[in-house]
Amino acid sequence: MKRGSTEVRGNLQKWCGHRRGGGEKSAVGRDGWQENGLFKKISKNTVSPHSGAYVIVERVQNRSKLRSESVKKANAMSMVDVQIKSDWVKVPNQDLLISAYLSQPMGVGPFPAVIVFQEIFGVNAHIREVTDKIAKMGYVAIAPALYQRTAPDFEVGYTDEDLKVGREYKEQTKASELLSDTQATVEYLKTLPSVKKDGVGCIGFCFGGHVAYLAATLSEIQATASFYGAGIVNWCPGESEPTLTRTGEISGTIYLFFGTEDPLIPNDQPDRIEAELNKQGIRHRVFRYEGATHGFICDQRESYNPEAAADAWTQVDRLFAETLKSG
């Protein structure tokens, strides 16, 4: 998607209730609009004055009578009968070999590619399931180990002890190394005959959501989905200035997903991220899920919120389809 004002006007017509293709018209209330079976409140400051950027901000309320369509769409997306093949591979980065879980659709390619960034718990069973899910959506998906330098093959579950160890390894990472490893993963993907060569997306969760925000600054990352990335406004791995200060380097489209009850991300922090994205004229959407907490998309955690997760996956599908498959 381009940043030009023409496209923004077209999208605003779509989002704000003007007639869409097929004569369909969205239901618009005084405070917002309704789509995918969920009520989404749009901030009054909808369009950035900077380059006409794509900057819709949404607050999603999980009301049972409104959410069924979104859940059905996400379930249908996850049940698509696409055959995939998965394996562990090694991604070279100078003298380092990064373990990575690779999942690919079987069939005629080439396919767009998506890099999956782990939580602090390593490339565990959940992250592998997410990688497979994205492959079933029609992408070559790869999840590189973010702790390769300090804890090769690290993989744990979601106990308190697992959380403690995972955080210790997270604190040992450096932004420069994370970006270097991500770039190496992009270069590895280019060597695969099944991968399109003109752009890559990424998605990350928890610590991986923060890494995804960092990765969005790489020129070849066209689409980013960042889920509840803590510390973006006040921390950057191994650096003195927070990751937020790099926002102006983002060249693609970024979607951000937060829960309003997340104890690790106070609600003023997504507001600050939104303000900086607006200031820098970055194409983005910010989703705030009422009542959801940290880890709401992970079905192996107590914090799993199926309604919020279903809507979020629908938005991720839209993001990647519009930015990676449209070319």
Side-chain angles (χ1 to χ4, degrees):
M1 290 176 290
K2 298 180 180 179
R3 301 189 188 199
S5 59
T6 300
E7 175 162 353
V8 172
R9 286 197 297 270
N11 283 331
L12 283 177
Q13 289 176 352
K14 174 181 175 182
W15 296 322
C16 296
H18 293 262
R19 190 163 298 277
R20 296 182 282 186
E24 180 185 1
K25 192 172 184 179
S26 61
V28 182
R30 181 178 62 184
D31 294 319
W33 58 292
Q34 179 179 321
E35 184 186 57
N36 294 335
L38 291 173
F39 181 81
K40 302 185 179 183
K41 185 175 181 181
I42 302 177
S43 68
K44 293 181 179 179
N45 185 22
T46 302
V47 182
S48 167
H50 301 273
S51 304
Y54 177 28
V55 293
I56 296 298
V57 182
E58 302 174 10
R59 184 175 297 275
V60 182
Q61 297 175 331
N62 294 320
R63 299 180 179 179
S64 58
K65 65 181 180 180
L66 294 175
R67 69 197 178 199
S68 59
E69 183 180 344
S70 180
V71 174
K72 289 178 182 177
K73 285 183 179 180
N75 288 341
M77 178 178 64
S78 64
M79 293 171 64
V80 173
D81 186 20
V82 174
Q83 297 297 312
I84 62 172
K85 54 182 179 181
S86 305
D87 201 1
W88 286 95
V89 298
K90 296 293 185 179
V91 174
N93 186 8
Q94 299 182 20
D95 295 333
L96 181 70
L97 288 177
I98 306 164
S99 294
Y101 182 75
L102 177 69
S103 190
Q104 306 182 68
M106 297 178 66
V108 179
F111 304 98
V114 173
I115 301 172
V116 181
F117 294 117
Q118 65 183 59
E119 305 161 301
I120 63 172
F121 309 102
V123 184
N124 61 10
H126 169 64
I127 293 301
R128 295 195 297 273
E129 288 177 2
V130 167
T131 307
D132 288 342
K133 180 185 183 78
I134 293 171
K136 291 179 180 180
M137 292 163 60
Y139 304 89
V140 174
I142 187 168
L146 299 183
Y147 300 158
Q148 186 67 45
R149 289 173 172 80
T150 53
D153 303 319
F154 177 75
E155 175 187 341
V156 293
Y158 296 97
T159 68
D160 289 343
E161 181 61 27
D162 295 336
L163 178 66
K164 178 182 177 182
V165 175
R167 283 177 171 170
E168 290 175 356
Y169 288 132
K170 180 198 75 171
E171 294 298 329
Q172 298 176 46
T173 60
K174 298 178 181 179
S176 59
E177 294 174 344
L178 292 167
L179 287 171
S180 176
D181 292 350
T182 301
Q183 185 62 51
T185 304
V186 171
E187 298 304 320
Y188 171 82
L189 289 168
K190 290 180 182 179
T191 69
L192 302 180
S194 58
V195 173
K196 289 177 60 177
K197 304 302 187 285
D198 56 350
V200 178
C202 70
I203 185 171
F205 310 89
C206 184
F207 173 53
H210 190 135
V211 176
Y213 201 96
L214 274 172
T217 65
L218 297 176
S219 61
E220 290 172 284
I221 300 297
Q222 293 184 349
T224 298
S226 171
F227 280 82
Y228 34 83
I232 291 172
V233 304
N234 55 15
W235 178 70
C236 182
E239 301 290 339
S240 58
E241 295 296 320
T243 294
L244 189 65
T245 61
R246 305 184 185 212
T247 300
E249 300 173 41
I250 297 174
S251 59
T253 301
I254 185 167
Y255 281 17
L256 299 106
F257 302 83
F258 300 99
T260 61
E261 302 302 318
D262 191 331
L264 302 180
I265 307 176
N267 287 326
D268 70 298
Q269 292 192 7
D271 294 343
R272 291 171 62 185
I273 295 171
E274 170 198 342
E276 187 64 21
L277 289 164
N278 285 337
K279 177 182 176 181
Q280 299 295 337
I282 307 301
R283 294 177 296 246
H284 71 277
R285 297 176 83 175
V286 176
F287 298 86
R288 297 172 172 87
Y289 291 92
E290 297 285 355
T293 186
H294 201 78
F296 69 78
I297 206 169
C298 178
D299 59 6
Q300 296 185 22
R301 302 176 71 167
E302 292 183 0
S303 55
Y304 177 56
N305 184 315
E307 293 77 34
D311 184 76
W313 274 116
T314 299
Q315 306 307 332
V316 169
D317 186 43
R318 172 186 295 177
L319 168 66
F320 289 157
E322 292 181 349
T323 55
L324 302 179
K325 287 185 176 179
S326 60

